[in-house]
């Protein structure tokens, strides 16, 4: 089989139907360009939402959940342990939210090679007092340096600096809470803890995560200040946040730490299962739309090649009469579809990149997302590989059926008919 000759004949046939061939290639170009633009934008959006939610979530969280004891005293009795026992009005186990021996646990975790670092936290409900009005919220007492290292909290500080929390009796409040209470940096806010302790803290910054439920209720202070507010010792911690090198191991490590430290644990996948489902659905939709566009372009190639076969019956008959086999003719038409798919695919990748670059510089300014300035785009090379691969596969399949039809043409019948 002379592939060079077959390729030259395919080029000649393309020139003979140049307008139709260009239309088919444009269809592939449009499909690939829209596929690249859509997938890049949707995955960029997913990355943005991951940054807002998942990057603020520890990969594994250790804490004490207030819940009833799993083993009631009656189940330990030799007399009744094998019976079916009904226990009513079970009260939560009185163990508190504090993590016992937290410093030793954190020291152990920091030695683990699978862990980037750990960050202790105190999470407690409080009331923010504004005159006679009390607004409920949450204060997170944090280790400033560890929190900044693991979660880049400074990216969400719109006024002030995260380092200012090192000052005594200082606090960073959410943007929503500041707007409700008409507070600005430098003001004093009065806080009442759940135990009734009162404190006056200086506002050294304002944060804006971009999620209303957080910005309206959550504030940050140092571990020392939170411990003083609650009247607790310096080793009082309610949460230990863990960041991992390999986040896929989070579920397994959560189970391991639960059995090792007898603490409640939750991994980021469990904590954000609904959020991750939404990201998956958006990706599926974008891929589905792109594939449909390419299939539609494939039907265009199929129709054009079919028409070309009807118009070139004489040429096909002459080729066969001069010694070309049915397999040679088949490869001529497959080459036609491959050329259309390759040219259309390459231009589709180019225009897809151009469209994505244009979207990437379009301003996107919103008060709720201060860290976002343009529409998000993910320039992942894998999207371009998928695009050109699917373009070639689609066009080969679209050209295969007309090629098989052309290979079965009997030159004697065509010439006799003439």
């Amino acid at each position: 089989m002379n592939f060079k000759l077959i390729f030259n004949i395919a080029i000649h046939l393309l020139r003979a139907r140049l307008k139709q061939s260009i239309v088919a290639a444009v269809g592939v170009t449009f499909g690939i360009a829209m596929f690249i633009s859509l997938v890049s934008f949707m995955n960029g959006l997913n990355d943005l939402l991951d940054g807002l939610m998942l990057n603020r979530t520890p990969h594994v969280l250790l804490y004490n959940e207030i819940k009833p004891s799993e083993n009631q005293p009656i189940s330990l009795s030799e007399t009744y342990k094998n019976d079916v026992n009904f226990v009513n009005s079970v009260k939560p186990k009185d163990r508190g939210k504090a993590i016992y021996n937290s410093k030793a646990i954190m020291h152990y975790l920091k030695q683990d090679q699978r862990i980037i670092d750990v960050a202790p936290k105190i999470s407690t409900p409080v009331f923010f007092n504004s005159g006679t009005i009390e607004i409920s919220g949450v204060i997170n007492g944090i280790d400033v340096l560890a929190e900044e290292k693991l979660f880049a909290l400074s990216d969400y500080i719109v006024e002030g600096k995260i380092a200012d929390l090192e000052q005594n009796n200082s606090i960073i409040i959410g943007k929503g809470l500041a707007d409700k209470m008409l507070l600005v940096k430098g003001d004093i806010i009065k806080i009442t803890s759940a135990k009734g302790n009162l404190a006056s803290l200086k506002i050294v910054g304002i944060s804006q995560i971009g999620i209303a439920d957080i910005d309206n209720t959550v504030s940050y202070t140092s571990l020392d200040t939170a411990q003083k507010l609650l009247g607790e010792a310096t080793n009082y911690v309610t949460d230990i946040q863990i960041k991992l090198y390999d986040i896929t191991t989070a579920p397994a490590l959560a189970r391991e730490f639960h059995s090792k430290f007898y603490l409640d644990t939750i991994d980021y996948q469990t904590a954000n299962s609904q959020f991750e489902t939404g990201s998956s659905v958006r990706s599926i939709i974008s891929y589905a739309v792109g594939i449909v566009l390419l299939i539609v372009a494939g039907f265009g190639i199929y129709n054009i090649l079919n028409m070309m076969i009807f118009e070139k019956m004489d040429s096909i008959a002459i080729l066969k009469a001069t010694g070309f086999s049915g397999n040679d003719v088949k490869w001529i038409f497959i080459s036609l579809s491959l050329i259309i798919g390759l040219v259309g695919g390459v231009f589709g990748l180019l225009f897809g990149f151009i469209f994505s670059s244009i979207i990437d510089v379009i301003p996107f300014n919103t008060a709720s997302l201060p860290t976002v300035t343009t529409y998000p785009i993910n320039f992942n090379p894998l999207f371009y590989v998928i695009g050109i691969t699917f373009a070639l596969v689609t066009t080969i399949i679209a050209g295969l059926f007309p090629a098989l039809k052309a290979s079965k043409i009997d030159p004697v019948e065509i010439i006799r008919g003439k």
Side-chain angles (χ1 to χ4, degrees), residues 325-399:
S325 66
N327 192 47
D328 293 333
V329 174
K330 180 184 72 175
W331 276 105
I332 289 173
F333 282 90
I334 290 179
S335 298
L336 280 172
S337 62
L338 263 175
I339 293 170
I340 292 173
L342 184 61
V343 173
V346 170
F347 277 100
L349 296 183
L350 177 62
F351 281 104
F353 179 78
I354 293 173
F355 294 156
S356 299
S357 299
I358 292 173
I359 296 172
D360 192 39
V361 297
I362 296 176
F364 178 70
N365 298 316
T366 174
S368 60
L369 298 173
T371 59
V372 181
T373 56
T374 61
Y375 284 94
I377 291 291
N378 185 339
F379 292 96
N380 191 337
L382 179 62
F383 305 150
Y384 296 80
V385 174
I386 293 174
I388 191 66
T389 301
F390 196 79
L392 293 175
V393 170
T394 303
T395 51
I396 288 174
I397 294 174

Side-chain angles (χ1 to χ4, degrees), residues 261-280:
F261 301 122
Y262 301 101
L263 293 171
D264 294 298
T265 60
I266 186 169
D267 62 90
Y268 80 99
Q269 292 181 354
T270 304
N272 299 285
S273 56
Q274 293 180 336
F275 178 80
E276 289 199 331
T277 299
S279 297
S280 300

Side-chain angles (χ1 to χ4, degrees), residues 99-110:
I99 295 178
Y100 176 72
N101 211 13
S102 59
K103 290 187 176 181
I105 292 174
M106 286 189 290
H107 177 75
Y108 175 86
L109 293 173
K110 288 183 178 182

Side-chain angles (χ1 to χ4, degrees), residues 129 169 183-190 199-203:
N129 304 316
N169 299 325
L183 296 171
V184 296
K185 179 185 172 185
D187 287 348
I188 302 297
I189 184 172
K190 294 183 178 180
S200 296
L201 304 181
K202 181 181 179 180
I203 299 173

Side-chain angles (χ1 to χ4, degrees), residues 298-315:
F299 277 111
I301 295 172
Y302 172 80
N303 289 330
I304 288 171
L305 293 181
N306 252 341
M307 292 298 297
M308 189 179 291
I309 290 171
F310 280 112
E311 291 183 1
K312 298 295 181 181
M313 286 288 192
D314 293 348
S315 300

